[in-house]
Amino acid sequence: MDFKRSSLVGHQKVTFRRFMRKNVFGPLRGLRAPRIPTAMITGSNGKTTTSRMLANILACAGRTVGLACTDGIYVAGQRIEAGDRSGYDGARRVFAQQSIDAAVLETARGGLISSGLYTRRCHVAALLNVNPVHVGIDGINSVDAMAVHKRQVTDAATDRVILNLEDNLCRAMAAQYTPSKITFFCIDPHHGDVEDRLSRGSRICTLDETSEWVVLMSPDRTHRKIVRVSNVPATMNGTVHHNLLNALAAAALADGLHVTIEAINQGLATFENSPAMNPGRFNIIHDHPFTMVLDRATHPPSLETSVACFMQLPCEGRRLCMISTPGNRPDHAFNEMASVVAGRFAQYVCFETNYFRRGRQSGDIAGRLSQGLVAHGVDQAQIVCAQSPGDAVMHLKSLATNHDLVYVNAISPDELEQVTTALS
């Protein structure tokens, strides 16, 4: 695809109000280019975790970090505002904090659509991946158009662009940037493009030959060891594949901000899959009647990755599933979500939340997921529908034993308390 000539014209039909907001009011209210080190992170999957990892690295480097993400706004690790703040309002609130000296901005598709690119410059920016998630929503009707839409973020980077070498659209987008300005990340150090990209002057953040270390490769072929994979708890010794990719991206972003290797090492080594550090994203909770894994995989590609990691965990009893998804998805997305988990669990509880209802009538999300499971061969007797996370957990309590392992999907940070209260 020719990204240079591509645009959303012909792909995106917008309302007059949205057009004015994005093309007239958006630029007029654009945020002043920040003087403090600023990173923007976009992509289909992994934005929040990568943003949180980078914020932790910067904190270990002695920075007072302002973070805006889908979980809220954080200053020096403390949440000062709840809710999804991965757009203009989140960035505005972060830049208004006088105490910060670094900013990390998760930058989501929806915020770009509603407000445009809200700051015209940042120091580093990452595009983690592009997949069909959200295609068919808000006038973006192809994955190529989605790539062009997300490219606004990397275009804003003045110092370094971070791209996923293992993603075809990210790799193609590299042609639009000076090679020496790019750092690619990938898990496979033998990826076919590694040598070519190094010879052109780009950097590569990847694993070493033994897959034991995260390393940064330079065009002169020198390798700097950053951190042992076994010392990055969020990857669970490399088995949580998506968090390994997120860690590579975060390390590349930090290097682009001239953070020392020592601080990157410390930041990744102290970042955990815990409700405190990364709420609702592959959190393993043991202190309840049964062991739960809480995750935020809200679309089929991320759900497939997450469930694959879940299936590797030891389980003495049965595997049970509590599943939901946002309501602002095309109808076919519910069937696709169901297809990922069908046949892999002994029992299913389909539920919904106010946070993710997003225009759907009560019962519609759970009902569509249930129908999708049946369509993919699950016996109706294995399925229960619930109208809230609390009700869903009560169903699980009646189904599960101490030896069972429960996968809980699509819980927002503000609903974690509802879940844990129902279990107590």
Side-chain angles (χ1 to χ4, degrees), residues 82-130:
D84 188 344
R85 297 295 181 266
S86 58
Y88 172 87
D89 289 336
R92 177 182 59 81
R93 290 276 283 131
V94 164
F95 290 145
Q97 304 302 311
Q98 297 298 313
S99 63
I100 69 170
D101 56 14
V104 178
L105 308 175
E106 178 183 348
T107 309
R109 166 205 64 90
L112 288 173
I113 287 175
S114 63
S115 302
L117 188 66
Y118 36 82
T119 180
R120 296 298 168 185
R121 267 203 337 255
C122 62
H123 297 91
V124 297
L127 178 57
L128 304 180
N129 41 60
V130 184

Side-chain angles (χ1 to χ4, degrees), residues 52 67-97 279 355 413-414:
R52 284 182 173 277
L67 165 67
C69 64
T70 55
D71 297 337
I73 296 172
Y74 297 76
V75 174
Q78 299 300 310
R79 188 164 75 164
I80 64 169
E81 191 170 314
D84 188 344
R85 297 295 181 266
S86 58
Y88 172 87
D89 289 336
R92 177 182 59 81
R93 290 276 283 131
V94 164
F95 290 145
Q97 304 302 311
Y355 181 84
D414 295 320

Side-chain angles (χ1 to χ4, degrees), residues 342-383:
R344 296 168 117 167
F345 296 88
Q347 295 283 338
Y348 301 84
V349 180
C350 302
F351 74 103
E352 50 196 57
T353 73
N354 290 330
Y355 181 84
F356 278 140
R357 188 160 283 127
R358 298 181 181 178
R360 293 276 177 178
Q361 294 296 314
S362 177
D364 191 24
I365 294 173
R368 288 179 180 274
L369 289 170
S370 175
Q371 292 169 13
L373 288 170
V374 171
H376 289 282
V378 177
D379 191 318
Q380 186 69 61
Q382 297 175 263
I383 306 168

Side-chain angles (χ1 to χ4, degrees), residues 214-253:
V214 172
V215 297
L216 186 66
M217 297 183 180
S218 298
D220 62 4
R221 302 310 194 272
T222 58
H223 295 185
R224 287 186 288 162
K225 290 184 176 180
I226 297 175
V227 62
R228 284 187 181 274
V229 173
S230 59
N231 289 342
V232 183
T235 74
M236 295 178 64
N237 204 26
T239 59
V240 182
H241 182 273
H242 52 286
N243 274 353
L244 183 52
L245 277 170
N246 294 335
L248 292 168
L253 283 159

Side-chain angles (χ1 to χ4, degrees), residues 235-275:
T235 74
M236 295 178 64
N237 204 26
T239 59
V240 182
H241 182 273
H242 52 286
N243 274 353
L244 183 52
L245 277 170
N246 294 335
L248 292 168
L253 283 159
D255 175 71
L257 291 172
H258 308 293
V259 177
T260 65
I261 293 294
E262 292 74 19
I264 299 174
N265 181 307
Q266 185 181 0
L268 292 176
T270 57
F271 187 86
E272 301 176 341
N273 291 333
S274 67

Side-chain angles (χ1 to χ4, degrees), residues 21-23 25-31 40 42 87-88 91 105 107-109 111-122 125 149-157:
R21 192 163 54 208
K22 178 178 180 181
N23 297 288
F25 300 121
L28 288 177
R29 67 172 187 166
L31 299 168
M40 298 176 74
T42 194
Y88 172 87
L105 308 175
T107 309
R109 166 205 64 90
L112 288 173
I113 287 175
S114 63
S115 302
L117 188 66
Y118 36 82
T119 180
R120 296 298 168 185
R121 267 203 337 255
C122 62
H149 178 62
K150 293 179 183 296
R151 183 191 149 187
Q152 297 176 74
V153 176
T154 48
D155 281 351

